[in-house]
């Protein structure tokens, strides 16, 4: 493992930890208060804040995916080394797992009070569940992650140089839109590490049904498979519909303004005349 990769993995771990500790705590606050100290909007903004801050933290170490599905898409379409996908995924999942344990510990007494049996009523603090069936949840996760990667690629192409400092804010706004538009079907996980790490943390701390839906249907696999599929679809559509049709940078650059010297020597002072027509000097006309 190279020093650069080790540094990036620490960034992925730390950034994903920030994302999950903000997000799960925002949900926990709503659940343990019975909605008195939070609602759908506050938990969505909690996830957005966690994502923005997590990207800034990870970005200090040259990383910032915070999502295995994004890492897969970057490998498929952006020359990110495939050999780094698995280490990135492990670092992201570990960060998510430990962050969920922190939330579980801090909100432990409140969770026990509102849900002594540790059922799906409070499991949603840590992992997602379908509200309208497994099939709907699968397509929801595919669509949500496709949107995430499609727009993310556009942001990466647009926010270059100093404007790159705005990237975390724009990605946070993107997550806000996805959460408000696609949240109720399956909790908009759109991130395998975000779901699996906390799901594992909830299971080892007493949630015996963490891997299934309330009716016993195995569900743990869906927030892993569907987001990866959606990321590949979203990245592929961006390459097909936008990237291959982009105006080349050279053609898109405005022509430089003529200098006085070039205007005297070559440029035509009257745009009403074709460039290859010489406009006579007014002084010559007078002398004639």
């Amino acid at each position: 493992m190279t020093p650069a990769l080790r540094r990036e993995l620490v960034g992925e771990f730390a950034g994903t930890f920030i994302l999950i500790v903000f997000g799960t705590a925002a949900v926990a606050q709503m659940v343990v208060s019975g909605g008195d100290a939070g609602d759908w909007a506050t938990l969505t903004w909690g996830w957005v804040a966690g994502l923005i801050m997590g990207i800034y933290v990870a970005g200090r170490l040259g990383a910032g995916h915070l999502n295995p599905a994004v890492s897969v898409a970057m490998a498929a379409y952006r020359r990110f080394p495939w050999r780094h996908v698995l280490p990135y995924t492990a670092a992201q999942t570990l960060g998510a797992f430990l962050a969920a344990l922190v939330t579980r510990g801090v909100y432990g007494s409140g969770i026990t009070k509102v849900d002594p049996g540790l059922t799906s009523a409070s499991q949603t603090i840590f992992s997602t569940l379908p509200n309208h069936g497994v099939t709907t949840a699968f397509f929801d996760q595919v669509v949500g992650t496709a949107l995430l990667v499609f727009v993310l690629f556009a942001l990466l192409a647009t926010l270059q140089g100093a404007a790159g400092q705005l990237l975390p804010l724009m990605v946070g706004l993107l997550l806000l839109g996805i959460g408000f538009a696609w949240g109720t079907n399956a909790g908009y996980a759109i991130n395998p590490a975000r779901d699996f790490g906390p799901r594992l943390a909830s299971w080892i701390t007493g949630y015996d049904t963490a891997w299934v839906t309330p009716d016993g249907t195995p569900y743990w696999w869906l927030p892993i498979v569907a987001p990866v599929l959606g990321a590949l679809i979203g990245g592929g559509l961006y390459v097909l519909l936008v990237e291959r049709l982009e105006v080349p940078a050279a053609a898109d650059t405005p022509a430089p303004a003529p200098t006085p010297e070039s205007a005297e020597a070559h440029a035509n002072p009257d745009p009403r005349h074709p460039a290859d027509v010489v406009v006579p000097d007014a002084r010559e006309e007078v002398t004639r």
Side-chain angles (χ1 to χ4, degrees):
M1 186 181 297
T2 65
L5 179 57
R6 286 198 298 268
R7 182 178 66 245
E8 292 167 13
L9 294 182
V10 172
E12 289 297 308
F13 166 82
T16 309
F17 181 95
I18 296 296
L19 164 64
I20 302 303
V21 82
F22 270 85
T24 55
V27 183
Q29 180 167 272
M30 182 189 73
V31 171
V32 302
S33 69
D36 293 336
D39 55 22
W40 182 259
T42 63
L43 72 86
T44 302
W45 277 106
W47 283 108
V48 169
L51 180 62
I52 293 172
M53 302 310 164
I55 295 175
Y56 275 122
V57 168
R60 298 301 301 163
L61 297 176
H65 295 178
L66 313 188
N67 184 338
V70 170
S71 298
V72 168
M74 295 294 284
Y77 304 111
R78 287 294 178 269
R79 298 182 180 179
F80 179 71
W82 278 105
R83 66 182 181 277
H84 291 178
V85 170
L86 189 57
Y88 263 55
T89 298
Q92 294 154 358
T93 304
L94 180 60
F97 171 76
L98 294 178
L101 288 181
V102 170
T103 299
R104 180 73 172 89
V106 172
Y107 279 98
S109 58
I111 292 171
T112 302
K113 182 177 180 180
V114 299
D115 185 22
L118 300 181
T119 67
S120 59
S122 62
Q123 182 188 326
T124 52
I125 293 173
F126 305 102
S127 55
T128 61
L129 287 170
N131 287 321
H132 305 291
V134 173
T135 301
T136 298
F138 186 88
F139 285 109
D140 171 270
Q141 291 298 286
V142 170
V143 171
T145 317
L147 287 171
L148 173 69
V149 172
F150 187 96
V151 179
L152 175 62
F153 278 11
L155 292 173
L156 290 171
T158 303
L159 300 176
Q160 297 291 323
Q165 297 298 320
L166 296 174
L167 182 62
L169 295 175
M170 293 297 101
V171 177
L173 185 60
L174 171 58
L175 180 65
L176 179 67
I178 293 173
F180 281 160
W182 303 92
T184 60
N185 282 330
Y188 71 106
I190 58 176
N191 182 337
R194 171 263 174 274
D195 193 86
F196 184 80
R199 192 180 295 272
L200 178 61
S202 67
W203 178 66
I204 68 173
T205 58
Y207 286 84
D208 295 333
T209 59
W211 308 108
V212 298
T213 63
D215 65 3
T217 303
Y219 187 76
W220 62 271
W221 60 272
L222 191 148
I224 298 174
V225 175
V228 170
L229 178 59
L232 291 173
I233 292 174
L237 287 175
Y238 180 84
V239 171
L240 178 66
L241 299 178
V242 178
E243 188 170 87
R244 73 183 185 89
L245 300 177
E246 287 178 338
V247 178
D252 196 34
T253 303
T259 64
E261 293 77 10
S262 66
E264 291 178 3
H266 305 289
N268 183 1
D270 191 342
R272 293 171 296 176
H273 294 275
D276 58 350
V277 175
V278 177
V279 179
D281 193 325
R283 291 173 296 181
E284 294 181 6
E285 291 294 324
V286 171
T287 57
R288 291 177 188 174

